[in-house]
Amino acid sequence: MQTDDASVRLAAVQQRIARAESLAGRRAGATALIAISKTHDSDSIRPLISAGQRIFGENRVQEAAEKWPRLREETPGIALHLVGQLQSNKADDAVALFDAIHSVDRASLVTALARAMNKSGKQPACFVQVNIGDEPQKGGCDVAALPELLAQARTAELPLVGLMCVPPLGVEAAPYFALLAKLARDNGLDGLSMGMSDDFETAVTLGASHVRVGSALFGARA
Ligand SMILES: *Cc1c(COP(=O)(O)O)cnc(C)c1O
């Protein structure tokens, strides 16, 4: 991808976010755009950095550790978010590498992250991932188990900022986004990580604080 293409794609996504914010009566710039760069190599990521994008997301610790230390050295001020499932034995690596973790979804991981943060002194912002469609194969905490997991995260003093979801594929996402927003409100959380390339405008109108956009910025993944 050339820098020109990256600029055009980035501007288009930013404009669509701005229009959705305006439609919903939200403040301009209320939504943070996370560029999901998983599977894309550093040469494909650099044009987007050159175009001005500074928040990126990856779904695997190992892949992020291979690409991002160098890219961050080249350009200061990049924030890196983890949006994929995290094994407890990678908690130390994840805390060292990421500025935010969107996939906190079980008690054992809360414990592992709290320990890693205490050890390192680093405090990446944490989102609890909710299995919003109650899908058996999907990551995320069950809706019914959310209050207990949030209580545990608060007791462990994790820097909790909000909730995250990936709604079921192939059906209208809006009801799931609305439910996530309600769960966040009910539990006193402001952050809402929701919306991907196919549905980020809907997510913005329903209050997303963070949208996670991959293919609309990078093109299709191989
Ligand atoms: C890959 C991924 C995205 C981005 O998906 P696109 O459809 O390419 O925008 C967002 N969130 C998560 C958790 C992902 O794994």
Side-chain angles (χ1 to χ4, degrees):
M1 187 166 61
Q2 303 299 308
T3 302
D4 285 357
D5 298 339
S7 301
V8 168
R9 285 182 185 175
L10 179 59
V13 169
Q14 286 170 335
Q15 208 165 67
R16 289 167 62 188
I17 290 172
R19 194 181 308 126
E21 285 172 342
S22 159
L23 268 173
R26 299 186 64 202
R27 176 178 61 79
T31 319
L33 170 61
I34 308 173
I36 304 296
S37 49
K38 66 186 185 199
T39 78
H40 297 287
D41 63 16
S42 299
D43 284 339
S44 312
I45 296 171
R46 283 190 185 96
L48 209 59
I49 297 175
S50 298
Q53 178 65 23
R54 288 294 177 272
I55 313 177
F56 289 85
E58 291 281 344
N59 70 335
R60 300 172 69 176
V61 176
Q62 183 60 36
E63 183 183 340
E66 284 162 15
K67 294 190 293 196
W68 282 97
R70 171 92 182 270
L71 290 169
R72 284 172 136 171
E73 230 173 73
E74 293 170 6
T75 309
I78 286 175
L80 195 58
H81 292 225
L82 177 66
V83 301
Q85 283 191 23
L86 177 59
Q87 294 171 280
S88 296
N89 64 7
K90 300 232 173 92
D92 285 315
D93 293 341
V95 166
L97 191 56
F98 292 96
D99 301 289
I101 296 172
H102 292 237
S103 48
V104 181
D105 65 355
R106 60 196 189 277
S108 56
L109 183 56
V110 167
T111 305
L113 285 171
R115 190 177 300 145
M117 289 187 202
N118 281 333
K119 236 193 312 184
S120 69
K122 265 199 81 195
Q123 293 259 301
C126 290
F127 293 81
V128 167
Q129 182 175 355
V130 181
N131 185 357
I132 200 77
D134 271 324
E135 297 174 279
Q137 78 285 10
K138 220 164 209 168
C141 147
D142 289 349
V143 171
L146 181 63
E148 193 181 328
L149 186 61
L150 290 175
Q152 193 213 348
R154 285 177 165 134
T155 304
E157 297 185 350
L158 281 200
L160 259 191
V161 300
L163 302 181
M164 178 274 214
C165 77
V166 181
L169 269 178
V171 293
E172 176 57 52
Y176 297 101
F177 293 155
L179 175 57
L180 194 74
K182 180 188 181 323
L183 291 170
R185 252 191 334 270
D186 289 352
N187 288 285
L189 292 166
D190 295 328
L192 278 175
S193 168
M194 57 187 197
M196 310 183 3
S197 291
D198 286 340
D199 52 24
F200 66 86
E201 286 147 302
T202 303
V204 169
T205 61
L206 290 167
S209 63
H210 295 72
V211 291
R212 310 179 308 265
V213 178
S215 41
L217 291 169
F218 287 100
R221 283 180 293 276

